[in-house]
Amino acid sequence: MLGTRLCVDEGEFEALAEPWGRLYRSCEAATPFQSHAWLSSWWRSYGRPGRLRVLLVREGDRLIAAAPLMRVHRPLPALKPLGGAISDFADVLVAGSARERATGALVTGLHKLARTALIDFGEARPGACVESVHARWPGPKLALPDSPCLELPALPMEELLQRLPTPRAQRARAKMRRLTKLGVEARTVPADEVEASVRTLLHLHELQWRGRKVTSEHLRPRFREHLLRSMRPMVAAGEAVLTEFRLDGEVMAADLTLLSGTLAGGYLYGAHPRLRERKVDVATMLLDACTRHTGGEQRRALSLLRGDEPYKHHWRPDPVTNQRFLLARGRTAPLLAAAVCDASARRWAKERLRERAARRGGGASS
């Protein structure tokens, strides 16, 4: 028998780690940003009291589906995924062995919640479980493009190099040989050393971007607390891996890669400025380390996560666009229309900013 209920209590959500973990592992489409350690830690750092809304579907005692949401009031009354701006992908979780009935129960439960708020599910990766929810939604709905992402196929480093033009591949191989010549050593950090390694990573990240434009959230105490809290259980569960790079016995760079069954995502790294003085190509060093988690028996796509910055295109990645699913009922359909107008206005503003930046760049070069 299926049972659906809404969890609004933070303590109850915190206690769901074990059944949530089983559900997460049974959901093929899950990304690391749907793990319980990530979401519960995020809520403790970023959540607002009284706004937790986690829809749970059980079959007997077994958790077979979950929609981790929160209530927001601005710019519109809506239910949005937990994880916020620091999470690159969002989704519901559905057990693979109960996909049809679990998805149907989620649709029913979410349809009840949509009486007073828009369901606004952004940053869904292609193939996400929420696609099936959208397909079966009985009321007003819309799918919009969301953030651009880039991905590399599940190949070892040498095969990725074969995708490049020969001169570029030769330069990359020369950079890798230089890493060996300099004696750069990569070390995977065990779970009991994760906290110290996270502190080192954040320190190197701050050094790397000092004096340049940086994502300000990465320097804030709440982000530090979130990583310190979430990474040890994620590393222990195989949902994340921290790699330190030593040169002359000192940790000079660190990388955090998040893992799920089908995805490896390079989430955050830090590199000491002295590596540039030693002519170490940090991007090649990091990619080589990440590809160690994409091949073998468990093949994972290597996601460069959100953003299509020019430096990412060096490796000829495939473009992938996240989706935003808007779900409503008759009485909340005006909220859906307002969300579409807001999205259009934001997109127009971003395009104008890009055009201005391009004009300034053109003027400087001339």
Side-chain angles (χ1 to χ4, degrees):
M1 295 180 62
L2 293 181
T4 304
R5 68 180 301 273
L6 191 64
C7 169
V8 298
D9 181 76
E10 297 178 11
E12 180 186 353
F13 180 49
E14 189 77 21
L16 285 172
E18 187 174 336
W20 193 285
R22 289 193 294 268
L23 171 60
Y24 172 82
R25 290 187 292 274
S26 71
C27 181
E28 185 177 348
T31 78
F33 301 104
Q34 283 78 62
S35 72
H36 187 268
W38 181 269
L39 291 176
S40 62
S41 175
W42 180 89
W43 180 257
R44 289 176 63 181
S45 288
Y46 293 89
R48 302 283 295 274
R51 297 191 182 182
L52 186 67
R53 302 288 189 274
V54 182
L55 186 64
L56 305 171
V57 179
R58 287 188 171 89
E59 188 172 54
D61 294 331
R62 185 167 71 108
L63 186 64
I64 62 169
L69 302 168
M70 61 181 177
R71 178 84 184 214
V72 301
H73 301 291
R74 296 179 181 176
L76 300 166
L79 291 170
K80 291 191 174 186
L82 301 185
I86 67 168
S87 301
D88 289 76
F89 304 120
D91 200 2
V92 299
L93 290 175
V94 176
S97 59
R99 183 171 302 167
E100 287 300 314
R101 57 188 183 276
T103 300
L106 273 183
V107 170
T108 300
L110 290 171
H111 195 253
K112 293 178 181 178
L113 294 176
R115 287 180 298 183
T116 57
L118 177 70
I119 310 293
D120 187 350
F121 226 103
E123 303 300 358
R125 189 170 175 252
C129 292
V130 74
E131 284 185 357
S132 297
V133 174
H134 176 262
R136 297 172 64 167
W137 189 256
K141 62 183 179 180
L142 194 64
L144 301 172
D146 215 337
S147 298
C149 301
L150 296 169
E151 286 188 6
L152 289 166
L155 297 172
M157 186 65 171
E158 182 55 38
E159 292 185 41
L160 288 178
L161 291 177
Q162 292 173 15
R163 291 162 47 94
L164 303 180
T166 300
R168 187 180 297 177
Q170 290 174 341
R171 289 194 295 271
R173 291 187 182 97
K175 292 171 182 177
M176 293 173 65
R177 289 194 296 270
R178 177 162 180 79
L179 292 173
T180 302
K181 182 178 179 180
L182 287 172
V184 176
E185 298 177 347
R187 170 182 175 264
T188 299
V189 177
D192 60 355
E193 299 178 23
V194 162
E195 287 88 349
S197 185
V198 167
R199 291 187 176 92
T200 299
L201 165 63
L202 292 173
H203 173 65
L204 290 170
H205 184 75
E206 190 274 331
L207 283 179
Q208 170 192 343
W209 293 100
R210 185 173 292 173
R212 297 185 291 158
K213 186 177 180 180
V214 63
T215 302
S216 58
E217 186 60 36
H218 292 166
L219 306 180
R220 291 178 177 154
R222 62 184 181 181
F223 181 76
R224 172 187 292 268
E225 292 165 3
H226 165 61
L227 285 191
L228 287 171
R229 188 188 303 117
S230 61
M231 282 305 105
R232 179 164 182 164
M234 291 184 72
V235 168
E239 297 163 358
V241 60
L242 273 158
T243 305
E244 293 181 344
F245 301 88
R246 292 178 177 268
L247 182 59
D248 299 330
E250 183 181 355
V251 178
M252 298 294 287
D255 171 76
L256 171 60
T257 296
L258 304 181
L259 305 173
S260 66
T262 59
L263 179 77
Y267 184 70
L268 189 72
Y269 74 93
H272 200 289
R274 290 209 304 270
L275 288 178
R276 291 197 296 270
E277 299 170 8
R278 302 287 294 271
K279 293 183 171 56
V280 170
D281 189 281
V282 175
T284 300
M285 179 180 72
L286 294 175
L287 188 70
D288 183 39
C290 286
T291 56
R292 300 174 194 180
H293 310 291
T294 60
E297 295 182 2
Q298 190 168 15
R299 300 181 71 81
R300 300 180 173 102
L302 177 56
S303 176
L304 306 181
L305 302 181
R306 287 179 301 179
D308 59 354
E309 295 86 352
Y311 75 89
K312 293 182 179 179
H313 289 271
H314 178 84
W315 301 99
R316 288 195 169 179
D318 300 317
V320 179
T321 302
N322 286 348
Q323 295 292 301
R324 180 184 179 189
F325 296 106
L326 301 173
L327 310 172
R329 290 177 62 158
R331 65 188 298 179
T332 50
L335 296 177
L336 189 153
V340 172
C341 291
D342 179 70
S344 297
R346 290 176 183 270
R347 187 163 54 248
W348 181 88
K350 287 182 179 179
E351 289 172 357
R352 300 292 83 74
L353 286 173
R354 280 196 293 267
E355 289 173 1
R356 290 195 203 109
R359 286 197 296 269
R360 287 198 298 269
S365 61
S366 59

